[in-house]
Amino acid sequence: MANLSHINIDNVDIGPDSGEGFSLIPEGKYMAKVTDSKLIPTRAGNGHILELTWQIQSGPHERRLIWDKITLIHTSQQAQEIGRKQWKKALRAAGIDHSPQDSSEIHNKLVRIQVKTKPASNGFEASNAIAAYYPAPKQADMSQPAQAAAPIAGEPQAAPPWGGNQGQGTVPF
């Protein structure tokens, strides 16, 4: 419990409460990373689900969150197998090729996720879900300076920044 007696929000204007919440993220592929994970029991109490919180990293939906629920432990062997395959696909896309001892090993690893829309059912509104995981595109290694291309013999060369002709001893210092 937190003592909030020193925080006064009486004069904070938030406007009328529209009750709309967030709109669905359009279906497509997005660069994302896991920012939180937890193992929770299933509603029926017959297993455990790994809940991953993915955060989109770029574009118009940057910083939006999508929750991914992966069944890792279940009394149904088929449900458990499907969930473990899904977990392995997410790990492989994140560049992890071993069985992690802790779910935090996938945190902050860039992955391209395929977002789909689950239609409304059983009293729940339509929602986003993750349909697939893909490795993030490789980025150029920025830690190494770019190598300048060697001049080709006989080809004209660009003038040096101080002007004059290349290689004719016209260095200004």
Side-chain angles (χ1 to χ4, degrees):
M1 187 167 16
N3 179 355
L4 302 178
S5 62
H6 61 287
I7 299 173
N8 184 345
I9 60 170
D10 293 340
N11 295 326
V12 176
D13 182 22
I14 60 171
D17 185 10
S18 64
E20 292 176 13
F22 284 110
S23 60
L24 292 174
I25 295 170
E27 292 187 348
K29 292 181 181 175
Y30 298 91
M31 296 303 297
K33 65 180 180 180
V34 174
T35 58
D36 190 31
S37 59
K38 58 187 168 191
L39 195 62
I40 57 175
T42 61
R43 281 189 223 148
N46 55 356
H48 283 81
I49 295 170
L50 178 64
E51 184 179 82
L52 301 174
T53 303
W54 292 87
Q55 183 182 55
I56 295 177
Q57 297 299 299
S58 60
H61 304 289
E62 185 174 0
R63 297 185 3 225
R64 290 280 306 271
L65 303 177
I66 299 175
W67 287 269
D68 194 11
K69 295 182 180 187
I70 302 173
T71 302
L72 291 183
I73 303 166
H74 203 276
T75 56
S76 163
Q77 202 60 28
Q78 183 180 15
Q80 182 172 292
E81 183 179 341
I82 291 168
R84 289 184 180 190
K85 284 181 179 180
Q86 184 180 357
W87 176 229
K88 188 161 186 171
K89 289 175 184 178
L91 290 169
R92 183 175 25 186
I96 300 170
D97 61 357
H98 62 278
S99 292
Q101 297 300 303
D102 192 287
S103 62
S104 65
E105 289 185 43
I106 197 171
H107 290 199
N108 299 311
K109 306 270 187 197
L110 206 54
V111 172
R112 184 179 300 273
I113 57 172
Q114 175 75 43
V115 174
K116 68 178 182 178
T117 301
K118 290 181 6 183
S121 67
N122 297 329
F124 291 99
E125 294 181 15
S127 62
N128 287 125
I130 298 176
Y133 315 89
Y134 304 96
K138 298 282 185 211
Q139 298 294 319
D141 185 1
M142 301 307 285
S143 64
Q144 299 294 324
Q147 296 285 333
I152 300 172
E155 290 289 318
Q157 303 298 312
W162 56 84
N165 293 329
Q166 176 98 2
Q168 295 190 355
T170 58
V171 179
F173 44 89

